[in-house]
Amino acid sequence: MLEGKVVVVTGASGGVGRAVVRLLGDKGAKVALIARGETGLATAATEVGTLGGTAKVFPADVADHVQVEAAADSIEKELGPIDVWINVAFSSVFARFTEIEPEEFERTTAVTYLGYVWGTRAALRRMRTRDRGAIVQTGSALAYRGIPLQSAYCGAKHAIKGFTESVRTELLNEGSGITITMVHLPAVNTPQFDWVLSRLRRHPQPVPPIYQPEVAARAIVYAAEHPSRREYWVGGSTVGTILGERLVPGLLDRYLGSYGVKSQLTDERPSGVSNLWEPADEDRDYGAHGSFDERATPRSPQVWLSQHRNHLLAAGAGGIAAAALAALGRRR
């Protein structure tokens, strides 16, 4: 469904974004790669081409709306009209809120929240003239439930959710042919834990259970191909977190107050690397995976069930109907 389509991916140089562009390459898409780290971008573009797609690199800081607009102009000139825009890029600070400097909090918000705003704006400005296109926002279980040590990131993800809901209702009001959806992710084994600014005494880790970035990538690309659903939840832990927040938020507060900090710490020392102000992959390609391959799972049965729920419901209804007919036949 994406073969020959022009698909923009922000944060394409590493982590989930990197896994997404690889999958898009395998599907034969024309992929526009946006990020700051040009080493990671160049290698990602090569991978897309090797897999069968077409890739072009458009270096930009998503926190700067001027750079995002310029990239979008270049993409349409060089690759053609944008069909899908996927927002993935983010940054953060691992620290207690009172230990984060105001300018660091502002920068995290600008990249992680406003980066999605500017990407969505650039996509809509071009898609609306054609009344078609899809926008995919990479969300998180932390868009529903805040946790300790990630106040800037959690705040930004909550903001993205509210922003996306607002835009969606405006598109519905207009009767627009453009769709916008969100894909909420669990903890993922990406380089973010190696390059996000940290003030912790020990190296940060994803809150277990940990999923490989390919699990997230498959869900995001599926959403790009099926963007009419309001949102997708990825992983059993995401489902549990969102439902738990709806049912027992106070209990989650107390649980995370007791265990939320230690669950994000390893016994290792921090890497000392930070990509908040400058790209960490300017001279090094980090790829898609982080440091937790041995503990990360490459699949999620919940994702498969979610994506095939209509077929399962139909099969279940068919089974019930068949059983009812059989019972009726026996009575007769």
Side-chain angles (χ1 to χ4, degrees):
M1 294 172 64
L2 293 175
E3 184 175 2
K5 299 289 187 181
V6 177
V7 185
V8 181
V9 182
T10 71
S13 62
V16 170
R18 181 67 165 271
V20 167
V21 300
R22 289 172 178 166
L23 188 52
L24 291 171
D26 190 53
K27 289 179 174 287
K30 298 178 181 178
V31 191
L33 291 75
I34 296 179
R36 295 174 301 163
E38 297 190 31
T39 298
L41 282 175
T43 309
T46 300
E47 291 174 344
V48 171
T50 301
L51 289 166
T54 301
K56 281 191 172 289
V57 169
F58 301 89
D61 184 344
V62 296
D64 184 340
H65 69 92
V66 174
Q67 292 188 40
V68 175
E69 286 290 338
D73 282 339
S74 297
I75 290 165
E76 296 225 325
K77 288 177 183 177
E78 298 183 33
L79 292 178
I82 296 168
D83 297 295
V84 181
W85 188 293
I86 303 175
N87 284 311
V88 186
F90 75 93
S91 190
S92 188
V93 182
F94 284 112
R96 295 179 183 273
F97 169 64
T98 52
E99 297 174 352
I100 303 173
E101 297 298 329
E103 58 271 19
E104 294 168 346
F105 208 101
E106 288 181 353
R107 174 63 181 169
T108 297
T109 304
V111 174
T112 308
Y113 171 53
L114 290 180
Y116 279 52
V117 173
W118 306 144
T120 301
R121 183 175 184 270
L124 286 176
R125 289 187 64 189
R126 289 151 183 85
M127 292 177 177
R128 290 182 74 178
T129 62
R130 303 182 286 267
D131 195 35
R132 62 177 175 82
I135 299 169
V136 181
Q137 315 282 48
T138 304
S140 170
L142 303 188
Y144 285 86
R145 171 71 250 182
I147 64 174
L149 306 182
Q150 297 198 48
S151 58
Y153 180 82
C154 292
K157 286 298 184 181
H158 275 68
I160 292 166
K161 178 176 177 291
F163 163 74
T164 300
E165 290 170 348
S166 181
V167 172
R168 182 185 296 113
T169 57
E170 292 175 3
L171 292 172
L172 289 170
N173 175 260
E174 297 167 7
S176 175
I178 302 167
T179 52
I180 185 167
T181 186
M182 291 197 75
V183 182
H184 294 295
L185 303 183
V188 184
N189 174 36
T190 71
Q192 79 174 86
F193 300 93
D194 298 316
W195 67 23
V196 166
L197 175 62
S198 175
R199 292 212 168 82
L200 307 178
R201 294 182 178 179
R202 289 182 280 167
H203 195 286
Q205 69 172 6
V207 178
I210 306 169
Y211 293 83
Q212 293 288 26
E214 288 76 18
V215 176
R218 289 192 292 269
I220 290 167
V221 172
Y222 183 89
E225 295 176 319
H226 305 83
S228 59
R229 191 189 296 188
R230 186 176 187 272
E231 62 184 23
Y232 293 85
W233 300 352
V234 180
S237 56
T238 297
V239 175
T241 297
I242 295 173
L243 294 181
E245 177 63 15
R246 290 178 176 178
L247 297 173
V248 287
L251 181 62
L252 281 181
D253 286 342
R254 291 189 288 275
Y255 175 82
L256 290 166
S258 297
Y259 302 104
V261 171
K262 67 175 69 174
S263 67
Q264 296 183 74
L265 301 175
T266 69
D267 294 329
E268 306 296 324
R269 294 179 61 85
S271 67
V273 178
S274 169
N275 75 339
L276 186 61
W277 302 103
E278 301 292 338
D281 56 345
E282 190 64 46
D283 301 312
R284 171 188 170 185
D285 178 24
Y286 279 79
H289 288 216
S291 307
F292 304 95
D293 277 331
E294 294 182 358
R295 298 167 53 196
T297 178
R299 60 187 60 85
S300 169
Q302 176 274 332
V303 172
W304 188 91
L305 290 170
S306 173
Q307 293 173 353
H308 295 83
R309 63 182 186 178
N310 290 337
H311 299 294
L312 293 171
L313 288 172
I320 292 171
L325 289 172
L328 181 61
R330 287 195 296 270
R331 289 177 183 177
R332 287 180 176 177

